[in-house]
Amino acid sequence: MSIISPVRERFATELGELAALTDSSRPGWTRRALSEEDVAGRDYARTLMKQAGLETRIDGAGNVIGLLRGRLGGREIMLGSHTDTVDGGGRFDGITGVLGAIEVVRLLRENDVRLDHDLVIVVFFNEEPNDFGLFCVGSRAMTGLVDRSTLAAVDPTGRTLAEALPESAIDPEAFLNARYDFARVTAFLELHIEQGPELERAGRQIGVVETITGINHFRALFTGRQDHAGTTPMDVRADAGCAAAGTVLAVESIAGSGENTRGTCGQISFTPEAVNVVSQNAVVEGEFRGPEGSWLHEAQRRLTDAAAAEASRRGVSVEVEWTTDDAPVPLHEPVTSTIASVADDLGLSRATMFSGAGHDAGIIAAKTRVGMVFVPSVDGRSHCPEEFTDLDDIMPGVSVLLETVLRVDRWYAG
Ligand code: GLV
Ligand code: MN
Ligand code: MN
């Protein structure tokens, strides 16, 4: 089945309409989970799903779920991605996969193709890290990875997730009971922008993801002593800010020790925040990523030790909490080889990829066979306003997604 020109126009219009549903007080295209804009973004996606002919519902965890009934039913192919963004994010991360999945539905219907499987489209709630130290929240709820400790997570103001969810029309009890029955799902597929430079550098059109990175997030809380910046000699200070700064540099140094390994501290705060006061408290939030679980565990251990050493040599105390410990996820055969053959048969160049970005697909992979299709990112930029992928580069990804759905449909075994 070939892609026809209205697809490109529809995609451009919808990308623009979603880009308008963002927080105008923030840079870039900001639609953070648990914000009004995020509710509006998921509502918009639901409207598109209904117009495309899907029966839609919102589950207990805020995931928008659309259903296109198949000829035989009973078994499902699931597609999905997210519409929330990071602060100051772009227009393509997650959104490409949501609009691409809805296009697959339209193309099937416009070409009078009825699958044997039911086709299920999911717009996952809250893929990006929220202020409660959690990410891939909707997909974790669907796979049974949330419990009362998830609801008890606190943001920097001390508010719990249980208190915040109702503002997005999510009932905390329903959230705990949003498990999905993945026994029916033959495969899950996610189309996504690469968010890195490899496809563009290699001049390839399609990335076939082999492994999704493991991700360990931490929060380190340093407690020192508040003092006068001018009168307190350097050797008697207990400067929580300096211990935090040493820990940030330790993350950088540890992350340089592996292949395809990364370490980042994207959040740091000092209290009190005053130029002439030695910090009493400091909080650093950061993460390690990489393709090997053993390296990630070693990095955790080294960082916990480094934070303790940075603190103790300054008379500061520290608590390091590891808020997520997600192992690397190998994606599944025969889904990945099917995506590769589809790309070859459509005459598209391809590369096998490691994903340094996290995805809901990595969570769903615990429950069913999963494959991911990447399309190139200009200059490899992402999680920034400059994030861009030309529609001419997205359309091949939609074609691969559609054709992969058609091939997986042949695996129906009631
Ligand atoms: C999600 O976008 C992540 O990789 O952090
Ligand atoms: Mn992202
Ligand atoms: Mn994403």
Side-chain angles (χ1 to χ4, degrees), residues 82 93-94 127-128 192 195 359:
H82 61 101
D93 175 359
E127 191 267 353
E128 301 287 2
H192 208 281
Q195 309 181 268
H359 299 286

Side-chain angles (χ1 to χ4, degrees), residues 132-207:
F132 301 84
L134 305 166
F135 59 100
C136 292
V137 178
S139 51
R140 286 184 212 270
M142 283 178 82
T143 55
L145 289 176
V146 298
D147 57 23
R148 294 204 179 271
S149 71
T150 318
L151 291 177
V154 285
D155 73 4
T157 69
R159 196 165 70 134
T160 63
L161 181 66
E163 286 163 338
L165 285 174
E167 286 166 24
S168 291
I170 298 171
D171 170 58
E173 290 305 315
F175 174 78
L176 295 179
N177 292 305
R179 267 171 186 265
Y180 195 86
D181 178 9
F182 282 95
R184 295 186 302 227
V185 180
T186 299
F188 172 87
L189 303 167
E190 182 168 358
L191 169 67
H192 208 281
I193 55 165
E194 178 199 340
Q195 309 181 268
E198 307 298 334
L199 287 173
E200 189 179 63
R201 274 189 198 152
R204 306 283 165 91
Q205 294 165 289
I206 297 292

Side-chain angles (χ1 to χ4, degrees), residues 38-60:
D38 178 52
V39 173
R42 279 178 294 117
D43 276 354
Y44 175 79
R46 186 178 186 185
T47 303
L48 294 183
M49 284 176 168
K50 284 184 190 161
Q51 288 166 353
L54 294 167
E55 296 166 34
T56 67
R57 67 185 173 94
I58 299 186
D59 75 2

Side-chain angles (χ1 to χ4, degrees), residues 21 35 47 59 76 119 162 180 207 216 271 278 344 361 373 403:
L21 298 174
S35 68
T47 303
D59 75 2
E76 299 169 359
L119 185 63
Y180 195 86
N216 294 344
T271 319
V278 176
D344 293 346
V373 180
E403 185 58 31

